[in-house]
Amino acid sequence: MEIIDLNEKYLSTYFVCLEDWSDEIKEGGNHKESWFEHMKDKGLRVKLAVDGEKACGMIHYVPIEHSFAEGKDAYFVHCVWVHGYKKGVGNYQKRGVGKALLRAAEEDAKMMGAKGLAAWGISMPFFMRASWFKKQGYKKVDKAGMQILLWKPFAEDAVAPKWIREKKRPQKKEGKVTVLAFLNGWCPAMNMTFERAKRAAREFGDQVEFQDIRTIDRATFLDWGIADAVFIDGKPVRTGPPPSYDKIKKKIAKRVKKLKS
Ligand SMILES: CC(C)(COP(=O)(O)OP(=O)(O)OC[C@H]1O[C@@H](n2cnc3c(N)ncnc32)[C@H](O)[C@@H]1OP(=O)(O)O)[C@@H](O)C(=O)NCCC(=O)NCCS
């Protein structure tokens, strides 16, 4: 197994987070590809773990000023993922691949003059666990709900980052059900949720208004302080792990029924 920089050969597999075999991930559309096109000139770094020809792990990180955290002279890890399913390239987790990817990202960030590496993890024991980063020497420096901001400084004068917090919340509109979906593009799971919400909202015709907010535009993200989310009549829908299409549709249907009564 070796760690390489992303290259043309692996682009399409990177866009689906190494899950070429999954039909579900395709529901996320081409948003990650668009995000990549936008971010590649803004300092996005992507590394892959490859075993022979097989890509079995990935890590991507961006200069912190293009992330969801506020900081200086640092990079932010959006995601580390080691393929964990039997399908496709198979399960590569718990064999040191994640550790090797994170170490490569740290070395790379240091080489580019960064004073630290930040990462997001969640406090629950699933998805991108904060506990895993803690084991790798990262400290919790901020928290917003379940989202933990982790940090490893490389220099004594490194300044710990903070989350950019939600600044305003979508409001409910009278006489209509509103589905408001925020999309950044970096994560196929979030992109999938966005597309499911859009598709479900359309099923209800004029009774439901669907609005999308594209947070790949930095000013838009900073205006809201929300990167990826779905709100139905101003209420957030739990999006991690991605809710099924039926679940989202049921939630909308409930609001439509209330509208009529
Ligand atoms: C978390 C993850 C990146 C770790 O990579 P990995 O290759 O499986 O882990 P490694 O073999 O490198 O493990 C390194 C260490 O972490 C420990 N570890 C592994 N999985 C862990 C977990 N889920 N929680 C806490 N510690 C864990 C290992 O025991 C090992 O400990 P050691 O250093 O004492 O030996 C990987 O399991 C993964 O991708 N999980 C899913 C994360 C996810 O959903 N990412 C997408 C979110 S955008």
Side-chain angles (χ1 to χ4, degrees):
M1 197 270 302
E2 59 175 333
I3 307 292
I4 61 165
D5 287 319
L6 175 67
N7 61 42
E8 282 286 326
K9 180 179 162 188
Y10 292 105
L11 269 182
S12 59
T13 190
Y14 164 67
F15 293 149
V16 291
C17 295
L18 324 179
E19 292 174 33
D20 316 63
W21 50 268
S22 163
D23 282 334
E24 196 184 12
I25 210 155
K26 294 191 186 97
E27 280 186 56
N30 66 349
H31 299 301
K32 185 172 171 192
E33 186 172 351
S34 307
W35 175 84
F36 173 82
E37 288 302 324
H38 181 81
M39 292 303 293
K40 70 178 187 202
D41 300 328
K42 295 189 161 41
L44 166 68
R45 310 283 292 173
V46 185
K47 292 201 181 281
L48 299 178
V50 291
D51 180 15
E53 297 276 289
K54 298 191 280 185
C56 55
M58 53 166 267
I59 186 163
H60 56 192
Y61 43 105
V62 296
I64 201 153
E65 56 273 22
H66 295 294
S67 76
F68 312 135
E70 212 176 287
K72 217 171 138 242
D73 303 325
Y75 276 77
F76 174 93
V77 179
H78 269 297
C79 166
V80 197
W81 164 241
V82 176
H83 194 270
Y85 301 100
K86 278 192 186 152
K87 288 183 179 169
V89 296
N91 185 354
Y92 274 85
Q93 291 186 358
K94 300 194 173 160
R95 295 197 222 167
V97 178
K99 221 162 146 173
L101 282 163
L102 189 61
R103 214 176 290 136
E106 287 170 5
E107 288 312 312
D108 189 36
K110 274 183 204 165
M111 232 170 55
M112 289 185 296
K115 291 184 179 177
L117 195 59
W120 84 265
I122 58 172
S123 52
M124 306 290 279
F126 57 83
F127 213 39
M128 192 67 256
R129 302 166 189 214
S131 64
W132 184 74
F133 284 104
K134 285 184 184 158
K135 213 166 178 189
Q136 309 308 317
Y138 286 68
K139 293 237 150 56
K140 170 179 157 184
V141 286
D142 201 3
K143 184 176 190 285
M146 278 194 325
Q147 309 212 43
I148 309 294
L149 182 63
L150 298 133
W151 172 239
K152 189 185 225 182
F154 308 142
E156 272 186 14
D157 62 343
V159 180
K162 283 188 185 145
W163 280 129
I164 294 169
R165 286 169 198 284
E166 185 178 319
K167 306 227 169 82
K168 55 184 182 183
R169 187 152 275 216
Q171 297 301 312
K172 178 179 165 14
K173 275 191 190 168
E174 284 313 311
K176 257 192 191 223
V177 173
T178 46
V179 177
L180 185 62
F182 291 77
L183 178 81
N184 185 266
W186 69 278
C187 174
M190 311 277 186
N191 302 346
M192 200 189 288
T193 304
F194 172 90
E195 286 299 329
R196 285 176 180 167
K198 183 160 89 178
R199 205 150 50 88
R202 280 194 183 141
E203 286 213 27
F204 296 89
D206 289 346
Q207 291 164 310
V208 176
E209 187 177 293
F210 178 82
Q211 290 175 15
D212 60 1
I213 297 187
R214 305 295 176 123
T215 59
I216 196 161
D217 175 65
R218 189 72 187 160
T220 305
F221 166 66
L222 291 175
D223 186 33
W224 287 89
I226 300 171
D228 292 279
V230 174
F231 291 85
I232 300 173
D233 278 347
K235 278 205 168 149
V237 174
R238 237 179 215 279
T239 54
S244 68
Y245 174 75
D246 286 340
K247 196 168 176 185
I248 298 176
K249 194 176 152 192
K250 263 191 201 149
K251 281 185 186 287
I252 301 174
K254 231 177 171 177
R255 299 303 307 176
V256 169
K257 207 170 159 194
K258 270 211 164 147
L259 199 68
K260 289 180 183 158
S261 59

